[in-house]
Amino acid sequence: MKMKYLIVIYTLFFICSCAVNPVTGKQDLVLLSESDELALGRKTNEEVLKQYTIYDNPVLQNYVQNIGSKLAAKSHRANLNYQFTVLDSKEVNAFALPGGYVYVTRGLMAYLNSEAELAAVLGHEIGHVTARHSVRQHSATQLTNIGAVLTSIFVPGITQASNQLVQFAGGALLRGYGRTHELEADRLGAEYLARTNYNPEAMLDVIRVLKNQELFDKDLAKAEGREPRTYHGVFSTHPDNDTRLQEVVATAKTLSEAGKTNYVGHDEYISLIDKLVFGDSPRDGILRGRQFFHEGLGFSMHFPEQWNVSNQPDRLILNPITGDALIQISTDNLNKSLSPRDYMIQRLQLTNLTNESALNINGFAAHTGISLINNKQSSIAGRFTVIYFQKRVYIIAGMTKDPDTLAKYDKTITDTAKSFHALTNDEKILAKPLRINIVKAKNNTRFASLAKQSPLENNAESQLRLLNAKYPTGEPVNNSLIKIIK
Ligand SMILES: [Zn+2]
């Protein structure tokens, strides 16, 4: 395996040590030929679609694909076959893979307010593709990582592969490429907007949308004791970014065809996102206050007050603000020949159980016990509970670094496990997702009064303003279409 690894790196190095950059026309030191780049994109796309689900709305998918294709046709690499995909994720994000795979989350689409803004997001991502940023970034600094990425994506299925993808994606694709590449992507995006007769100023509007998100999230993160989210790291860098961005947009404006109007498309866009799912998707489970509902799996649980909840594809992670404990909830297919206790011992390999008891949790067979795990890497004191429900087993693992800390949290962890129950008919109604609803503002419509009727938690008034590009203090304009959440 190791030998193969080295061969891959060197082969790439000798075959394609130079390539003409499609944007600058100059020679770049890049390690990937175009066909390698396309192969990398195809394989990484498969990995992305293992982690994300495509949003189920063909009309919206077509709309995004059409706008993307229009922009791409006027780009520096019009020969590529671009694919634009709306992902069913509440994250506010957009990213691109080498070779022309561009993704935008429904989470980001919820906050955009015009077709031109959507085009600006897509244009920016196309810019990363046409300037070959991921390829250049990796050739410049991460020789070995290219080998790692290629190896991992050609050998899918191993744990390491997904870690490598996260590393690759986390390093460049999701967090951005550094300020120089980001500004270049903005410049290219603005240029593609102008060439397709969208108003290039939409680029500034999108940056404002994301900047306000970040300002709001900073306050929210502080209250929730977590790190604030960032989009492509755009805002934490130089203070002159705004000026440079303004220049980029002004230059792009001169490229618009004479006599063509600068299209914005506010009403068209927001009518199209009417009924768009907002926040948690029912497929992943929905959190209302402290109650968690999972319609697909048919269960509900109550989570501890003020603990942060992270809903990941294969597990739920709960953390107190102090960060000295976590509860992980995961599920597995049930092997019926095992009792809950035997499952803990044989499948989870918890051989040194103490404080054990067999439980009946709301009608379902369960077992609980404490286990101390000590090895070279870590020492963990854990309260483990397994529950048999329908054809699956649910594993609720409360973990701390030592027995004293576990004692402090033991009741909270046990109460959380014991709250597990089958979804009731009343809860099935609550398990429905929130959706964007488009309404017409009246003369006296104010965000404060809309917030009072809103199901949004955590400062509904500010969230409604963010959704409608009126943060921090704006109000709806009479007769305009606005987004509310229902
Ligand atoms: Zn970017």
mmCIF file of all heavy atoms in Angstrom, residues 32-75:
data_model
loop_
_atom_site.group_PDB
_atom_site.id
_atom_site.type_symbol
_atom_site.label_atom_id
_atom_site.label_comp_id
_atom_site.label_asym_id
_atom_site.label_seq_id
_atom_site.Cartn_x
_atom_site.Cartn_y
_atom_site.Cartn_z
ATOM 1 N N LEU A 32 -1.654 18.447 -11.148
ATOM 2 C CA LEU A 32 -2.722 17.674 -11.762
ATOM 3 C C LEU A 32 -2.972 18.150 -13.179
ATOM 4 O O LEU A 32 -3.121 19.342 -13.428
ATOM 5 C CB LEU A 32 -4.020 17.848 -10.961
ATOM 6 C CG LEU A 32 -4.042 17.291 -9.534
ATOM 7 C CD1 LEU A 32 -5.392 17.534 -8.913
ATOM 8 C CD2 LEU A 32 -3.711 15.821 -9.532
ATOM 9 N N SER A 33 -3.039 17.217 -14.113
ATOM 10 C CA SER A 33 -3.478 17.561 -15.459
ATOM 11 C C SER A 33 -4.981 17.762 -15.395
ATOM 12 O O SER A 33 -5.615 17.428 -14.396
ATOM 13 C CB SER A 33 -3.168 16.414 -16.414
ATOM 14 O OG SER A 33 -3.982 15.309 -16.064
ATOM 15 N N GLU A 34 -5.568 18.285 -16.475
ATOM 16 C CA GLU A 34 -7.018 18.493 -16.444
ATOM 17 C C GLU A 34 -7.763 17.179 -16.264
ATOM 18 O O GLU A 34 -8.745 17.105 -15.536
ATOM 19 C CB GLU A 34 -7.489 19.209 -17.715
ATOM 20 C CG GLU A 34 -8.958 19.609 -17.595
ATOM 21 C CD GLU A 34 -9.407 20.589 -18.678
ATOM 22 O OE1 GLU A 34 -9.795 20.114 -19.755
ATOM 23 O OE2 GLU A 34 -9.356 21.816 -18.428
ATOM 24 N N SER A 35 -7.296 16.122 -16.901
ATOM 25 C CA SER A 35 -8.035 14.856 -16.769
ATOM 26 C C SER A 35 -7.910 14.298 -15.346
ATOM 27 O O SER A 35 -8.858 13.716 -14.817
ATOM 28 C CB SER A 35 -7.582 13.840 -17.815
ATOM 29 O OG SER A 35 -6.241 13.489 -17.595
ATOM 30 N N ASP A 36 -6.748 14.505 -14.704
ATOM 31 C CA ASP A 36 -6.617 14.113 -13.292
ATOM 32 C C ASP A 36 -7.554 14.942 -12.419
ATOM 33 O O ASP A 36 -8.168 14.444 -11.485
ATOM 34 C CB ASP A 36 -5.180 14.338 -12.792
ATOM 35 C CG ASP A 36 -4.217 13.314 -13.364
ATOM 36 O OD1 ASP A 36 -4.667 12.195 -13.655
ATOM 37 O OD2 ASP A 36 -3.036 13.653 -13.533
ATOM 38 N N GLU A 37 -7.627 16.228 -12.748
ATOM 39 C CA GLU A 37 -8.481 17.129 -11.982
ATOM 40 C C GLU A 37 -9.942 16.679 -12.083
ATOM 41 O O GLU A 37 -10.666 16.644 -11.087
ATOM 42 C CB GLU A 37 -8.312 18.552 -12.537
ATOM 43 C CG GLU A 37 -9.083 19.617 -11.787
ATOM 44 C CD GLU A 37 -9.114 20.939 -12.545
ATOM 45 O OE1 GLU A 37 -8.345 21.107 -13.514
ATOM 46 O OE2 GLU A 37 -9.929 21.800 -12.167
ATOM 47 N N LEU A 38 -10.363 16.313 -13.309
ATOM 48 C CA LEU A 38 -11.741 15.859 -13.497
ATOM 49 C C LEU A 38 -11.998 14.570 -12.734
ATOM 50 O O LEU A 38 -13.053 14.395 -12.107
ATOM 51 C CB LEU A 38 -12.041 15.648 -14.989
ATOM 52 C CG LEU A 38 -11.989 16.911 -15.863
ATOM 53 C CD1 LEU A 38 -12.279 16.573 -17.318
ATOM 54 C CD2 LEU A 38 -12.962 17.970 -15.375
ATOM 55 N N ALA A 39 -11.009 13.676 -12.748
ATOM 56 C CA ALA A 39 -11.154 12.407 -12.025
ATOM 57 C C ALA A 39 -11.260 12.682 -10.526
ATOM 58 O O ALA A 39 -12.083 12.086 -9.827
ATOM 59 C CB ALA A 39 -9.976 11.489 -12.317
ATOM 60 N N LEU A 40 -10.431 13.607 -10.034
ATOM 61 C CA LEU A 40 -10.466 13.966 -8.614
ATOM 62 C C LEU A 40 -11.836 14.532 -8.246
ATOM 63 O O LEU A 40 -12.424 14.173 -7.225
ATOM 64 C CB LEU A 40 -9.366 14.999 -8.307
ATOM 65 C CG LEU A 40 -9.284 15.535 -6.873
ATOM 66 C CD1 LEU A 40 -8.957 14.416 -5.896
ATOM 67 C CD2 LEU A 40 -8.223 16.639 -6.772
ATOM 68 N N GLY A 41 -12.375 15.387 -9.134
ATOM 69 C CA GLY A 41 -13.699 15.957 -8.899
ATOM 70 C C GLY A 41 -14.775 14.880 -8.848
ATOM 71 O O GLY A 41 -15.595 14.862 -7.939
ATOM 72 N N ARG A 42 -14.743 13.969 -9.813
ATOM 73 C CA ARG A 42 -15.768 12.912 -9.861
ATOM 74 C C ARG A 42 -15.758 12.069 -8.594
ATOM 75 O O ARG A 42 -16.796 11.786 -8.002
ATOM 76 C CB ARG A 42 -15.525 11.984 -11.067
ATOM 77 C CG ARG A 42 -16.044 12.533 -12.382
ATOM 78 C CD ARG A 42 -16.155 11.425 -13.437
ATOM 79 N NE ARG A 42 -14.895 10.739 -13.696
ATOM 80 C CZ ARG A 42 -13.954 11.175 -14.534
ATOM 81 N NH1 ARG A 42 -14.126 12.302 -15.193
ATOM 82 N NH2 ARG A 42 -12.849 10.478 -14.721
ATOM 83 N N LYS A 43 -14.550 11.668 -8.185
ATOM 84 C CA LYS A 43 -14.440 10.804 -7.003
ATOM 85 C C LYS A 43 -14.838 11.557 -5.739
ATOM 86 O O LYS A 43 -15.514 11.006 -4.869
ATOM 87 C CB LYS A 43 -13.003 10.274 -6.860
ATOM 88 C CG LYS A 43 -12.630 9.273 -7.928
ATOM 89 C CD LYS A 43 -13.364 7.952 -7.697
ATOM 90 C CE LYS A 43 -13.013 6.946 -8.791
ATOM 91 N NZ LYS A 43 -13.735 5.685 -8.635
ATOM 92 N N THR A 44 -14.396 12.808 -5.630
ATOM 93 C CA THR A 44 -14.714 13.561 -4.416
ATOM 94 C C THR A 44 -16.197 13.863 -4.361
ATOM 95 O O THR A 44 -16.799 13.868 -3.291
ATOM 96 C CB THR A 44 -13.868 14.854 -4.337
ATOM 97 O OG1 THR A 44 -12.523 14.548 -4.704
ATOM 98 C CG2 THR A 44 -13.868 15.414 -2.921
ATOM 99 N N ASN A 45 -16.807 14.081 -5.532
ATOM 100 C CA ASN A 45 -18.255 14.282 -5.601
ATOM 101 C C ASN A 45 -18.997 13.098 -4.978
ATOM 102 O O ASN A 45 -19.959 13.276 -4.226
ATOM 103 C CB ASN A 45 -18.686 14.482 -7.053
ATOM 104 C CG ASN A 45 -20.193 14.530 -7.221
ATOM 105 O OD1 ASN A 45 -20.865 15.338 -6.591
ATOM 106 N ND2 ASN A 45 -20.737 13.650 -8.054
ATOM 107 N N GLU A 46 -18.525 11.887 -5.268
ATOM 108 C CA GLU A 46 -19.162 10.700 -4.670
ATOM 109 C C GLU A 46 -19.071 10.741 -3.159
ATOM 110 O O GLU A 46 -20.016 10.387 -2.455
ATOM 111 C CB GLU A 46 -18.496 9.413 -5.188
ATOM 112 C CG GLU A 46 -18.897 9.076 -6.612
ATOM 113 C CD GLU A 46 -18.070 7.932 -7.193
ATOM 114 O OE1 GLU A 46 -17.458 7.179 -6.410
ATOM 115 O OE2 GLU A 46 -18.036 7.820 -8.428
ATOM 116 N N GLU A 47 -17.930 11.193 -2.654
ATOM 117 C CA GLU A 47 -17.751 11.283 -1.200
ATOM 118 C C GLU A 47 -18.670 12.351 -0.599
ATOM 119 O O GLU A 47 -19.256 12.162 0.455
ATOM 120 C CB GLU A 47 -16.292 11.604 -0.847
ATOM 121 C CG GLU A 47 -15.320 10.488 -1.199
ATOM 122 C CD GLU A 47 -15.590 9.202 -0.420
ATOM 123 O OE1 GLU A 47 -15.874 9.289 0.787
ATOM 124 O OE2 GLU A 47 -15.541 8.114 -1.039
ATOM 125 N N VAL A 48 -18.773 13.480 -1.313
ATOM 126 C CA VAL A 48 -19.648 14.554 -0.828
ATOM 127 C C VAL A 48 -21.087 14.041 -0.720
ATOM 128 O O VAL A 48 -21.778 14.280 0.266
ATOM 129 C CB VAL A 48 -19.583 15.790 -1.757
ATOM 130 C CG1 VAL A 48 -20.688 16.786 -1.438
ATOM 131 C CG2 VAL A 48 -18.225 16.478 -1.630
ATOM 132 N N LEU A 49 -21.519 13.277 -1.741
ATOM 133 C CA LEU A 49 -22.903 12.806 -1.750
ATOM 134 C C LEU A 49 -23.138 11.653 -0.767
ATOM 135 O O LEU A 49 -24.273 11.264 -0.516
ATOM 136 C CB LEU A 49 -23.325 12.410 -3.170
ATOM 137 C CG LEU A 49 -23.364 13.599 -4.143
ATOM 138 C CD1 LEU A 49 -23.822 13.163 -5.519
ATOM 139 C CD2 LEU A 49 -24.236 14.749 -3.624
ATOM 140 N N LYS A 50 -22.065 11.110 -0.185
ATOM 141 C CA LYS A 50 -22.239 10.167 0.919
ATOM 142 C C LYS A 50 -22.510 10.918 2.212
ATOM 143 O O LYS A 50 -23.170 10.414 3.104
ATOM 144 C CB LYS A 50 -20.977 9.310 1.090
ATOM 145 C CG LYS A 50 -20.938 8.108 0.180
ATOM 146 C CD LYS A 50 -19.680 7.286 0.456
ATOM 147 C CE LYS A 50 -19.306 6.487 -0.782
ATOM 148 N NZ LYS A 50 -17.883 6.143 -0.784
ATOM 149 N N GLN A 51 -21.965 12.112 2.304
ATOM 150 C CA GLN A 51 -22.125 12.891 3.534
ATOM 151 C C GLN A 51 -23.351 13.798 3.502
ATOM 152 O O GLN A 51 -23.873 14.174 4.540
ATOM 153 C CB GLN A 51 -20.879 13.745 3.780
ATOM 154 C CG GLN A 51 -19.651 12.886 3.967
ATOM 155 C CD GLN A 51 -18.584 13.555 4.803
ATOM 156 O OE1 GLN A 51 -18.761 14.666 5.271
ATOM 157 N NE2 GLN A 51 -17.481 12.868 4.988
ATOM 158 N N TYR A 52 -23.758 14.190 2.309
ATOM 159 C CA TYR A 52 -24.911 15.079 2.163
ATOM 160 C C TYR A 52 -25.985 14.397 1.324
ATOM 161 O O TYR A 52 -25.688 13.525 0.517
ATOM 162 C CB TYR A 52 -24.514 16.374 1.442
ATOM 163 C CG TYR A 52 -23.638 17.302 2.225
ATOM 164 C CD1 TYR A 52 -22.256 17.265 2.088
ATOM 165 C CD2 TYR A 52 -24.184 18.251 3.091
ATOM 166 C CE1 TYR A 52 -21.437 18.134 2.799
ATOM 167 C CE2 TYR A 52 -23.380 19.122 3.789
ATOM 168 C CZ TYR A 52 -22.015 19.065 3.642
ATOM 169 O OH TYR A 52 -21.219 19.937 4.338
ATOM 170 N N THR A 53 -27.222 14.873 1.476
ATOM 171 C CA THR A 53 -28.311 14.402 0.634
ATOM 172 C C THR A 53 -28.672 15.530 -0.325
ATOM 173 O O THR A 53 -28.611 16.702 0.045
ATOM 174 C CB THR A 53 -29.536 14.068 1.507
ATOM 175 O OG1 THR A 53 -29.111 13.184 2.538
ATOM 176 C CG2 THR A 53 -30.634 13.420 0.703
ATOM 177 N N ILE A 54 -29.067 15.177 -1.540
ATOM 178 C CA ILE A 54 -29.520 16.177 -2.502
ATOM 179 C C ILE A 54 -30.916 16.640 -2.085
ATOM 180 O O ILE A 54 -31.762 15.813 -1.724
ATOM 181 C CB ILE A 54 -29.520 15.576 -3.931
ATOM 182 C CG1 ILE A 54 -28.075 15.247 -4.336
ATOM 183 C CG2 ILE A 54 -30.175 16.521 -4.924
ATOM 184 C CD1 ILE A 54 -27.960 14.526 -5.665
ATOM 185 N N TYR A 55 -31.151 17.954 -2.100
ATOM 186 C CA TYR A 55 -32.452 18.470 -1.688
ATOM 187 C C TYR A 55 -33.514 18.063 -2.708
ATOM 188 O O TYR A 55 -33.341 18.261 -3.913
ATOM 189 C CB TYR A 55 -32.398 19.998 -1.548
ATOM 190 C CG TYR A 55 -33.678 20.584 -0.996
ATOM 191 C CD1 TYR A 55 -34.125 20.236 0.271
ATOM 192 C CD2 TYR A 55 -34.434 21.480 -1.745
ATOM 193 C CE1 TYR A 55 -35.310 20.750 0.783
ATOM 194 C CE2 TYR A 55 -35.609 22.011 -1.238
ATOM 195 C CZ TYR A 55 -36.041 21.637 0.020
ATOM 196 O OH TYR A 55 -37.209 22.156 0.526
ATOM 197 N N ASP A 56 -34.619 17.483 -2.182
ATOM 198 C CA ASP A 56 -35.629 16.892 -3.058
ATOM 199 C C ASP A 56 -36.606 17.951 -3.562
ATOM 200 O O ASP A 56 -37.682 18.137 -3.008
ATOM 201 C CB ASP A 56 -36.370 15.780 -2.289
ATOM 202 C CG ASP A 56 -37.383 15.064 -3.177
ATOM 203 O OD1 ASP A 56 -37.292 15.218 -4.409
ATOM 204 O OD2 ASP A 56 -38.257 14.372 -2.633
ATOM 205 N N ASN A 57 -36.199 18.669 -4.591
ATOM 206 C CA ASN A 57 -37.065 19.657 -5.231
ATOM 207 C C ASN A 57 -36.533 19.905 -6.646
ATOM 208 O O ASN A 57 -35.685 20.766 -6.867
ATOM 209 C CB ASN A 57 -37.082 20.955 -4.416
ATOM 210 C CG ASN A 57 -38.022 21.984 -5.016
ATOM 211 O OD1 ASN A 57 -38.297 21.981 -6.222
ATOM 212 N ND2 ASN A 57 -38.498 22.898 -4.187
ATOM 213 N N PRO A 58 -37.019 19.094 -7.622
ATOM 214 C CA PRO A 58 -36.479 19.166 -8.987
ATOM 215 C C PRO A 58 -36.600 20.556 -9.610
ATOM 216 O O PRO A 58 -35.709 20.960 -10.371
ATOM 217 C CB PRO A 58 -37.350 18.166 -9.759
ATOM 218 C CG PRO A 58 -37.943 17.271 -8.730
ATOM 219 C CD PRO A 58 -38.069 18.082 -7.477
ATOM 220 N N VAL A 59 -37.656 21.285 -9.277
ATOM 221 C CA VAL A 59 -37.838 22.629 -9.861
ATOM 222 C C VAL A 59 -36.689 23.536 -9.421
ATOM 223 O O VAL A 59 -36.065 24.236 -10.229
ATOM 224 C CB VAL A 59 -39.198 23.232 -9.438
ATOM 225 C CG1 VAL A 59 -39.328 24.664 -9.938
ATOM 226 C CG2 VAL A 59 -40.343 22.373 -9.969
ATOM 227 N N LEU A 60 -36.388 23.491 -8.115
ATOM 228 C CA LEU A 60 -35.316 24.319 -7.573
ATOM 229 C C LEU A 60 -33.952 23.867 -8.104
ATOM 230 O O LEU A 60 -33.105 24.695 -8.456
ATOM 231 C CB LEU A 60 -35.347 24.240 -6.039
ATOM 232 C CG LEU A 60 -34.679 25.370 -5.288
ATOM 233 C CD1 LEU A 60 -35.378 26.690 -5.550
ATOM 234 C CD2 LEU A 60 -34.670 25.071 -3.792
ATOM 235 N N GLN A 61 -33.744 22.559 -8.192
ATOM 236 C CA GLN A 61 -32.474 22.032 -8.719
ATOM 237 C C GLN A 61 -32.256 22.516 -10.157
ATOM 238 O O GLN A 61 -31.160 22.955 -10.505
ATOM 239 C CB GLN A 61 -32.460 20.490 -8.683
ATOM 240 C CG GLN A 61 -32.512 19.869 -7.294
ATOM 241 C CD GLN A 61 -31.190 19.958 -6.516
ATOM 242 O OE1 GLN A 61 -30.193 20.452 -7.016
ATOM 243 N NE2 GLN A 61 -31.216 19.494 -5.272
ATOM 244 N N ASN A 62 -33.318 22.445 -10.977
ATOM 245 C CA ASN A 62 -33.205 22.896 -12.370
ATOM 246 C C ASN A 62 -32.897 24.375 -12.471
ATOM 247 O O ASN A 62 -32.100 24.809 -13.295
ATOM 248 C CB ASN A 62 -34.522 22.638 -13.124
ATOM 249 C CG ASN A 62 -34.602 21.202 -13.585
ATOM 250 O OD1 ASN A 62 -33.575 20.545 -13.720
ATOM 251 N ND2 ASN A 62 -35.811 20.717 -13.804
ATOM 252 N N TYR A 63 -33.569 25.128 -11.617
ATOM 253 C CA TYR A 63 -33.374 26.582 -11.582
ATOM 254 C C TYR A 63 -31.905 26.908 -11.299
ATOM 255 O O TYR A 63 -31.274 27.697 -12.023
ATOM 256 C CB TYR A 63 -34.295 27.148 -10.504
ATOM 257 C CG TYR A 63 -34.179 28.625 -10.233
ATOM 258 C CD1 TYR A 63 -34.580 29.566 -11.171
ATOM 259 C CD2 TYR A 63 -33.686 29.081 -9.012
ATOM 260 C CE1 TYR A 63 -34.502 30.924 -10.898
ATOM 261 C CE2 TYR A 63 -33.607 30.424 -8.723
ATOM 262 C CZ TYR A 63 -34.013 31.340 -9.674
ATOM 263 O OH TYR A 63 -33.936 32.687 -9.398
ATOM 264 N N VAL A 64 -31.349 26.281 -10.270
ATOM 265 C CA VAL A 64 -29.958 26.537 -9.893
ATOM 266 C C VAL A 64 -29.013 26.064 -11.000
ATOM 267 O O VAL A 64 -28.058 26.752 -11.355
ATOM 268 C CB VAL A 64 -29.632 25.859 -8.538
ATOM 269 C CG1 VAL A 64 -28.156 25.963 -8.212
ATOM 270 C CG2 VAL A 64 -30.470 26.489 -7.420
ATOM 271 N N GLN A 65 -29.303 24.903 -11.570
ATOM 272 C CA GLN A 65 -28.461 24.382 -12.654
ATOM 273 C C GLN A 65 -28.475 25.341 -13.853
ATOM 274 O O GLN A 65 -27.435 25.618 -14.450
ATOM 275 C CB GLN A 65 -28.943 22.983 -13.081
ATOM 276 C CG GLN A 65 -28.188 22.369 -14.255
ATOM 277 C CD GLN A 65 -26.748 21.969 -13.914
ATOM 278 O OE1 GLN A 65 -26.487 21.409 -12.864
ATOM 279 N NE2 GLN A 65 -25.805 22.286 -14.798
ATOM 280 N N ASN A 66 -29.660 25.866 -14.188
ATOM 281 C CA ASN A 66 -29.762 26.767 -15.341
ATOM 282 C C ASN A 66 -28.972 28.051 -15.141
ATOM 283 O O ASN A 66 -28.262 28.501 -16.041
ATOM 284 C CB ASN A 66 -31.228 27.120 -15.624
ATOM 285 C CG ASN A 66 -31.960 25.947 -16.259
ATOM 286 O OD1 ASN A 66 -31.322 25.042 -16.807
ATOM 287 N ND2 ASN A 66 -33.281 25.944 -16.159
ATOM 288 N N ILE A 67 -29.094 28.638 -13.958
ATOM 289 C CA ILE A 67 -28.348 29.874 -13.688
ATOM 290 C C ILE A 67 -26.852 29.581 -13.692
ATOM 291 O O ILE A 67 -26.059 30.312 -14.297
ATOM 292 C CB ILE A 67 -28.790 30.481 -12.347
ATOM 293 C CG1 ILE A 67 -30.236 30.967 -12.471
ATOM 294 C CG2 ILE A 67 -27.886 31.637 -11.946
ATOM 295 C CD1 ILE A 67 -30.885 31.270 -11.155
ATOM 296 N N GLY A 68 -26.468 28.482 -13.045
ATOM 297 C CA GLY A 68 -25.054 28.099 -13.008
ATOM 298 C C GLY A 68 -24.494 27.876 -14.401
ATOM 299 O O GLY A 68 -23.413 28.364 -14.739
ATOM 300 N N SER A 69 -25.246 27.163 -15.226
ATOM 301 C CA SER A 69 -24.770 26.862 -16.588
ATOM 302 C C SER A 69 -24.587 28.136 -17.405
ATOM 303 O O SER A 69 -23.648 28.254 -18.195
ATOM 304 C CB SER A 69 -25.758 25.943 -17.314
ATOM 305 O OG SER A 69 -25.922 24.751 -16.603
ATOM 306 N N LYS A 70 -25.514 29.074 -17.214
ATOM 307 C CA LYS A 70 -25.452 30.344 -17.939
ATOM 308 C C LYS A 70 -24.146 31.076 -17.592
ATOM 309 O O LYS A 70 -23.444 31.582 -18.464
ATOM 310 C CB LYS A 70 -26.672 31.191 -17.521
ATOM 311 C CG LYS A 70 -27.144 32.184 -18.536
ATOM 312 C CD LYS A 70 -28.605 32.597 -18.301
ATOM 313 C CE LYS A 70 -28.818 33.353 -17.017
ATOM 314 N NZ LYS A 70 -30.206 33.833 -16.826
ATOM 315 N N LEU A 71 -23.828 31.120 -16.285
ATOM 316 C CA LEU A 71 -22.602 31.771 -15.831
ATOM 317 C C LEU A 71 -21.369 31.020 -16.332
ATOM 318 O O LEU A 71 -20.411 31.627 -16.821
ATOM 319 C CB LEU A 71 -22.564 31.812 -14.292
ATOM 320 C CG LEU A 71 -23.585 32.712 -13.600
ATOM 321 C CD1 LEU A 71 -23.867 32.207 -12.192
ATOM 322 C CD2 LEU A 71 -23.088 34.157 -13.569
ATOM 323 N N ALA A 72 -21.426 29.701 -16.229
ATOM 324 C CA ALA A 72 -20.270 28.882 -16.598
ATOM 325 C C ALA A 72 -19.951 29.030 -18.082
ATOM 326 O O ALA A 72 -18.786 29.023 -18.483
ATOM 327 C CB ALA A 72 -20.534 27.417 -16.254
ATOM 328 N N ALA A 73 -21.011 29.199 -18.894
ATOM 329 C CA ALA A 73 -20.814 29.349 -20.344
ATOM 330 C C ALA A 73 -20.020 30.614 -20.672
ATOM 331 O O ALA A 73 -19.391 30.711 -21.721
ATOM 332 C CB ALA A 73 -22.163 29.366 -21.048
ATOM 333 N N LYS A 74 -20.057 31.599 -19.770
ATOM 334 C CA LYS A 74 -19.301 32.848 -19.986
ATOM 335 C C LYS A 74 -18.010 32.862 -19.185
ATOM 336 O O LYS A 74 -17.380 33.901 -19.026
ATOM 337 C CB LYS A 74 -20.164 34.053 -19.571
ATOM 338 C CG LYS A 74 -21.463 34.200 -20.334
ATOM 339 C CD LYS A 74 -21.228 34.819 -21.701
ATOM 340 C CE LYS A 74 -22.564 34.995 -22.428
ATOM 341 N NZ LYS A 74 -22.412 35.644 -23.721
ATOM 342 N N SER A 75 -17.629 31.726 -18.631
ATOM 343 C CA SER A 75 -16.445 31.687 -17.766
ATOM 344 C C SER A 75 -15.190 31.354 -18.568
ATOM 345 O O SER A 75 -15.259 31.123 -19.775
ATOM 346 C CB SER A 75 -16.637 30.637 -16.668
ATOM 347 O OG SER A 75 -16.432 29.336 -17.200
#
